[in-house]
Amino acid sequence: MPIYTQSHNIYAIFHLNLAFSSIDSSDHRRVIEDCYWPILQTIVNEGIPIGIELTGYTLECIQAIDPNWVSKLKFLLKDDRCDLIASGYSQIIGPLIPATVNQENLRLGQQSYQNLLGATPRIAYLNEQTVSASILDIYIDAGFEAVVIEWDNPYSNSPDWQLKMLNRPQSLLSASGRQIKVIWNHATAFQRFQRYVHSELTIGDYSDYLEQAIQPDTLAFPVYGSDAEVFDFRPGRYHTEEVQIRGEWERITQLFKALETNKKYNWIKISKLLSLWRQDSPLKLTNAEHPVAVKKQAKYNICRWGLSGRNDLLLNTLCYQRFKELNDQKSGDEEWRNLCRLWASDLRTHLTQIRYEALHIKSHRSNEPIFTPWEHKAEIRIQYDNERRRLQINTQEIALTLNCNRGLAIDSLAFSSHDFVPITGTLPQGYFDHINHGVDFYTNHLLIERFLNRDRVTDLNRVNYELAQQDGGLIIYCRQSLKSGLLLKWYRLNGEILHTGFHFEDTLRPEASIRLGFLTLLDCEARAWYQTHLGGIDAESFQISQDMDQGAPISSIVSSTSALGATDGSISFGNKNRGVQVSWDPALCAALPMISSKQIGSQYLNRLWFSLAEADETLKSGGSLLDFEFCITPRESLV
């Protein structure tokens, strides 16, 4: 199909996903008949060069149910009438998953496409349009020439981007400094398309939108880039829709014909879009305040695949356990496929009860840690201030002060590597001269906000400390009976490493936001920096420059803004030339860290904490609450 420079090129990509969270396997044949065959018929009958994106898993499911569909797609691809867009073997969320699994997912996906379609796509659609800079390196290493990524959020979060950059394919800068081409998707555009198809807009309304959205110098514009299963079918989560839904593909055909005959527009194959690319300065996709880009509106942040759903925390923890097993042994392709399927995003959102039960996830119960009586060691100095109820522990490597009035929260933590200048602890009420911040900012406490109970539970209560030991190291611990259940919190000193953990006797996850392990930087003269893995091979480093709060609620339903994948179980956090490294085992608890940095007058409040659960519309009752432990060690600046 020729490219008419006097008209605007338009394109469409349909995302096919039989793992769709709210579609049971019993509906697969109907989805293929009502949603997938019309795509091929539109290509054949109308000559529209649609891009088809599907996982290797979905392709295998279609082959098992309706091999004629796969044969037809194979014929159309060979006849150069449409494009195959890759997405990997399973729809996994790259910035939440270790680099090795991301690599295997792409490799196995390409294998499935080649085996069943005789094709090896060079363009990939980022799963759930969720991406970090280091994820781009995974796609570059896998041989992809271009990726399809949503425009709206990166543009909104990047002050230096210009609207004209939407007009043609661009280049993106990866974490390693390499470049990869990008074909734009557009959330508002595909949502307006859906509204037209669902009869919420007339064809005139939609045409008016398209004319307004396409700038005069636009060379290519994405008409559609989302689900195929929402036309002439409704996945189970769409409770407000009518039972009988027909004629929506006829509306799509009507629109496509209208656009085809309109001289303002020219349909273009996705692969031909790359001929419109020109060498220019690559765009930086993310920044410290937005290290991961996600699709559509703000409620679609990575917490929905990490911390909510029916049992996201336990499911992700089990995936890390399985990943560790596969890494420790020689594993075949089928074992990696099984892990990729278990890490699928659709198991973490609106999953049906039937599909959840089919996972056979066993209820989880953690064992209380076992301590032995403390035996005094001369090299460890322990002092207790009765008046202030502060416990001070000093060794050659660590100086630690704990507050017995506040559940053994850390008053002050210092390391010998930092010349015993405290790095984290409590900023007392009055530290900031601003009434909105006239509270204590503690370190290493628990905060549960229960939505059904409409209350807040913390462990910042008066306690008595106990001393013990474990593996020869000093243990300080306390027990509390909270409204949410019994809690045991402990510390263990080991050289310049401070270990700490939370044990929950009640392992039923409440419908709540559950945050713990807060770390407050005591130096408030500068913004924080951080470094962590976001699904790629190498860690990504960020210097915060603006206010940010990943724990800020989006609405009364969505309790957080974002989080960090920290896919190797570690994150470094500090400011200026000092910081800490925080490490944990995601195979024991796949908690996600969050960060905030706020300017208060001429000072900065910098904090890091972990979340075990967050709320959104996917959160269901009955999940597991896991014990969490981590360790803190000193580190220098990122430079």
Side-chain angles (χ1 to χ4, degrees), residues 41 68 130 137 161 179 211 214 234 264 281 360 413 450-451 478 488 499 594 612 628 636:
Q41 291 160 358
N68 289 335
T130 302
D137 284 309
W161 284 27
Q179 299 181 26
E211 288 196 28
I214 297 180
R234 291 296 184 274
K264 295 179 182 179
S281 298
H360 301 294
L413 173 62
R450 302 190 297 179
F451 310 119
C478 68
L488 184 151
H499 300 262
M594 296 177 169
L612 305 185
F628 183 58
E636 304 305 319

Side-chain angles (χ1 to χ4, degrees), residues 428-439:
Q429 182 182 34
Y431 184 90
F432 296 108
D433 188 16
H434 196 296
I435 189 61
N436 289 346
H437 303 281
V439 297

